[in-house]
Amino acid sequence: MTGAGGAAPGTAHLRRILLASIMLAAVVLVFIDSRLLAGFATALLVLYLVLARRQFGFGTWVPVLMALGGLVAALWQVVAPEVLWKAVDRMLFLSALIAMLGTLRSAAAIAPEVHRAGLFVTGQPASRRYLALTSGSHLFGVLINFGGLALLLDLAQRSMASDEAARLPPEAREARLRRMTLAVIRGFSLISLWSPFGFAINAVLIAVPDLSYMSFGPIGFAMSFVFIAIGWAFDRREGRRLRRLGLPRPSPPPRSWTGAVALVAHVLALGATVSLVHELAPLSFQQGLICAVPCYALLWAALSSRAMPGGPASGIGRASRATWGRLSDMGPEIGVFASAGFLPVVLLALIPVEALRDAIAVLGLGPVSLALGMSFSIFGLALVGVNPIVVASVLGAIAAQLGVLGLNDVAIALAIVGGWTAVIGLSPFITTLVICGAIIGRSPATIGLRWNGPYCVAILLVWALMLTTLMLNGLI
């Protein structure tokens, strides 16, 4: 008998204990600077990753091996202990953050408004379906990340089994599935442009410590509407030939719209909570996030179950058990995020920044060229299996230290999130498409490269044009 990831059930239970201990240690380290605790938590993290190694795929092994190579190089070059401790702190924090964000997914799983919102967006007629699914996926992703992606894709897949869908011609059925899938993926990818609860924004803020979220987040939020319009144009073009078939017009269940309104309220409430913690306590935005998210998730679970048998306590118990059960299967995510926290700090100590700055000057690379180079590097390396969070963390940290005139922190941040957003729905190595392929029964390469490729290239070019315009005109 084996458990998750091919390990024995007892090992899975041990992994849960290890990761829960790491999460607790990371929260304590927010308030107390203790190298003893940091060292102990690091040992737990290493043991967790060793036990979870069978879960690793190519996309996890690459950053993990890069981090191990960085550690060996740092020890060989006798890097200062302070650098290694800083790298350890980043590693622990990012590992705990990704695990903490999973508590929202557990709360959402028992929230009736989430199910209502899903039915509302998937039941829209074709003329509104793309915008509803894209917006819904965006909203779900902000709150519950991959849980929202999986939920909407599952609802879309189940809608294809309805009597109404069964009467469609095969071409129309495949086209509907493709259009619904792409709408969900594209909406989910836009989280990277602005969401303070998403991986991309947090990776940028940690890699560039002097950066303020408000200096670049609103730009990404505004551009998300531009990208929705571009995706909608692609969808309308694909649906043109299907409109001539006179297909039946679906409609969402009555009052299901209340679920969508409730999710908007949750996004606003959670954002306000984290901002309030950040303002009132001497904590960074990410520190406020890691403290506020589990508390909000427990409150959400309690409110969702107040009218159920057992009351709020039963909801808290269900959400807690779901979170606990998931901890043993997070090896791939923890491996990637731990590497992304450790590697940039170590590389900054190993790379001769002055020599790199001189080489850039000799090559004649200006701030615009460097910014675009970061975007295209994240995009290109993701296509060969290097996770964007690793590239973004490394390039962001290095670029911030270079001090190139005209390449400020805002430009660095925008360069990173643009390349990241464009490739999330394209690279078959990224978790987004792996999850999607498993749910709808198509290969990640088919979904990303064949179905979504033109859209991803289009938004990358639009982002590059926007970034170039802002930089050349001195607007950032």
Side-chain angles (χ1 to χ4, degrees):
M1 179 73 70
T2 57
T11 303
H13 186 67
L14 176 58
R15 292 200 303 272
R16 296 187 188 106
I17 295 174
L18 291 172
L19 187 51
S21 302
I22 294 163
M23 294 162 66
L24 178 60
V27 173
V28 173
L29 287 169
V30 168
F31 303 96
I32 300 173
D33 184 13
S34 169
R35 289 192 174 180
L36 178 62
L37 179 59
F40 178 67
T42 301
L44 297 183
L45 178 58
V46 171
L47 179 57
Y48 178 88
L49 293 175
V50 170
L51 293 176
R53 66 190 183 281
R54 293 183 181 180
Q55 300 172 5
F56 292 2
F58 181 77
T60 304
W61 276 116
V62 169
V64 167
L65 292 176
M66 290 173 64
L68 288 174
L71 174 61
V72 171
L75 295 176
W76 182 264
Q77 296 294 327
V78 195
V79 167
E82 289 74 18
V83 172
L84 294 177
W85 281 115
K86 183 178 179 182
V88 162
D89 286 339
R90 292 272 185 90
M91 178 177 68
L92 291 173
F93 185 86
L94 272 181
S95 300
L97 179 61
I98 179 62
M100 286 293 192
L101 289 173
T103 60
L104 286 174
R105 179 178 175 182
S106 301
I110 63 174
E113 62 267 27
V114 172
H115 182 67
R116 289 199 306 271
L119 294 176
F120 176 73
V121 297
T122 56
Q124 295 296 318
S127 58
R128 298 195 299 266
R129 186 188 300 126
Y130 182 86
L131 294 178
L133 279 172
T134 298
S135 303
S137 177
H138 192 64
L139 188 62
F140 277 46
V142 167
L143 273 177
I144 49 179
N145 213 278
F146 289 120
L149 175 74
L151 175 65
L152 276 185
L153 286 172
D154 183 61
L155 287 172
Q157 176 72 356
R158 277 192 272 169
S159 73
M160 300 303 299
S162 66
D163 293 338
E164 179 265 327
R167 291 191 292 270
L168 297 176
E171 178 191 9
R173 283 174 53 83
E174 181 68 12
R176 176 181 288 188
L177 177 63
R178 181 169 62 249
R179 293 172 69 187
M180 293 175 73
T181 299
L182 292 180
V184 172
I185 291 173
R186 291 168 184 173
F188 181 80
S189 70
L190 298 181
I191 300 168
S192 304
L193 285 180
W194 71 274
S195 172
F197 315 124
F199 305 148
I201 297 298
N202 280 286
V204 169
L205 290 173
I206 291 174
V208 189
D210 295 332
L211 183 66
S212 164
Y213 168 76
M214 291 305 298
S215 65
F216 73 102
I219 298 175
F221 182 72
M223 285 299 292
S224 68
F225 292 97
V226 176
F227 287 178
I228 288 174
I230 293 173
W232 180 76
F234 273 96
D235 180 76
R236 295 290 290 176
R237 180 175 176 271
E238 182 174 351
R240 191 176 300 153
R241 69 180 187 278
L242 298 175
R243 289 193 290 274
R244 296 194 294 267
L245 299 178
L247 302 176
R249 179 184 177 91
S251 61
R255 295 191 59 78
S256 58
W257 60 269
T258 58
V261 173
L263 285 194
V264 173
H266 279 301
V267 172
L268 295 176
L270 181 56
T273 301
V274 176
S275 298
L276 189 63
V277 172
H278 173 50
E279 291 297 327
L280 297 181
L283 303 176
S284 69
F285 188 88
Q286 287 73 39
Q287 290 172 334
L289 182 65
I290 203 173
C291 295
V293 161
C295 298
Y296 189 92
L298 290 176
L299 178 61
W300 188 7
L303 292 175
S304 296
S305 56
R306 64 188 183 278
M308 299 178 184
S314 67
I316 293 175
R318 288 171 61 192
S320 299
R321 287 190 294 272
T323 300
W324 176 255
R326 199 179 298 119
L327 295 182
S328 62
D329 302 326
M330 295 189 67
E333 295 96 325
I334 299 299
V336 170
F337 275 75
S339 303
F342 183 85
L343 195 57
V345 179
V346 171
L347 287 183
L348 274 179
L350 295 173
I351 294 174
V353 176
E354 288 296 331
L356 182 58
R357 187 183 295 118
D358 293 340
I360 289 172
V362 170
L363 293 173
L365 298 177
V368 174
S369 299
L370 291 173
L372 295 181
M374 281 191 286
S375 285
F376 288 113
S377 294
I378 292 170
F379 187 89
L381 289 172
L383 291 176
V384 296
V386 185
N387 196 287
I389 190 173
V390 177
V391 185
S393 299
V394 171
L395 293 183
I398 292 174
Q401 292 294 318
L402 284 176
V404 175
L405 184 64
L407 184 65
N408 57 32
D409 290 347
V410 175
I412 293 169
L414 292 177
I416 289 172
V417 299
W420 191 320
T421 301
V423 82
I424 281 181
L426 181 66
S427 172
F429 298 105
I430 292 181
T431 306
T432 305
L433 294 187
V434 174
I435 291 174
C436 181
I439 293 174
I440 71 166
R442 303 294 188 277
S443 74
T446 295
I447 299 167
L449 300 176
R450 287 181 51 197
W451 291 2
N452 208 30
Y455 164 82
C456 292
V457 172
I459 65 170
L460 178 65
L461 295 178
V462 169
W463 187 267
L465 178 62
M466 181 276 298
L467 181 59
T468 301
T469 302
L470 291 179
M471 293 183 70
L472 291 179
N473 288 278
L475 298 176
I476 58 173

